[in-house]
Amino acid sequence: MAEDFTDTDRALLDRPLHGLLTIPPGRERLPAPRPVWFERTPDDDIQLFSMADALKVRRLAADPRASFVVVTPEGEPEGWVSIEADVTLPEGGAADLARRLAERYWDDLTTPEHRELVELYAVEENLRRIVLHPRRVTRV
């Protein structure tokens, strides 16, 4: 059964901070967190996107579990939310999510590099949405 977020958790998760996603590692590998863009859904799931052919998508399809951590930035009082989650990889919605997150995380979408990535993100077939359904939440 999923644990609910507190209002303080939601306030932290609703900020444009980077999250650290950790997925089950491959053989001979250690878990390695990766920084990701994300958003909290109205149902208190966490969603992000990846390139459809990324190794993390294949690993999550084989073992749909992940952990996720968001930390307050330096200079603010210590705070973090850690989530253990079951993962789904729903069809559709990744391009819209990628556009929203690009607008949230980038100040300027007009640079050549950002324009090129936004065009790549606009093609739904290039992307896959990853949804984390929290089963355990810890915090400080």
Side-chain angles (χ1 to χ4, degrees), residues 8-133:
T8 302
D9 297 340
R10 287 183 190 94
L12 181 63
L13 294 167
D14 289 345
R15 294 173 60 184
L17 301 170
H18 288 87
L20 293 173
L21 176 70
T22 305
I23 64 170
R27 285 190 198 165
E28 309 296 323
R29 300 287 308 264
L30 295 173
R34 299 288 190 257
V36 295
W37 294 349
F38 70 94
E39 75 177 8
R40 183 182 62 83
T41 71
D43 294 331
D44 280 346
D45 290 328
I46 301 296
Q47 62 179 354
L48 51 127
F49 71 95
S50 180
M51 299 308 293
D53 60 355
L55 179 59
K56 78 174 129 220
V57 172
R58 292 192 303 275
R59 285 201 178 136
L60 287 169
D63 189 351
R65 301 173 301 136
S67 64
F68 184 77
V69 177
V70 177
V71 179
T72 54
E74 184 177 339
E76 294 184 19
E78 179 182 6
W80 52 264
V81 175
S82 177
I83 301 162
E84 296 173 30
D86 297 312
V87 175
T88 56
L89 302 167
E91 297 288 334
D96 288 338
L97 174 62
R99 178 189 40 76
R100 281 194 312 276
L101 292 177
E103 291 171 353
R104 177 181 179 180
Y105 284 90
W106 286 335
D107 292 332
D108 184 0
L109 296 177
T110 65
T111 67
E113 177 187 4
H114 290 170
R115 265 197 328 266
E116 183 178 321
L117 285 170
V118 167
E119 288 173 14
L120 178 68
Y121 295 163
V123 180
E124 186 72 36
E125 294 77 33
N126 292 338
L127 305 175
R128 193 64 185 261
R129 193 161 53 105
I130 299 169
V131 181
L132 283 64
H133 309 279

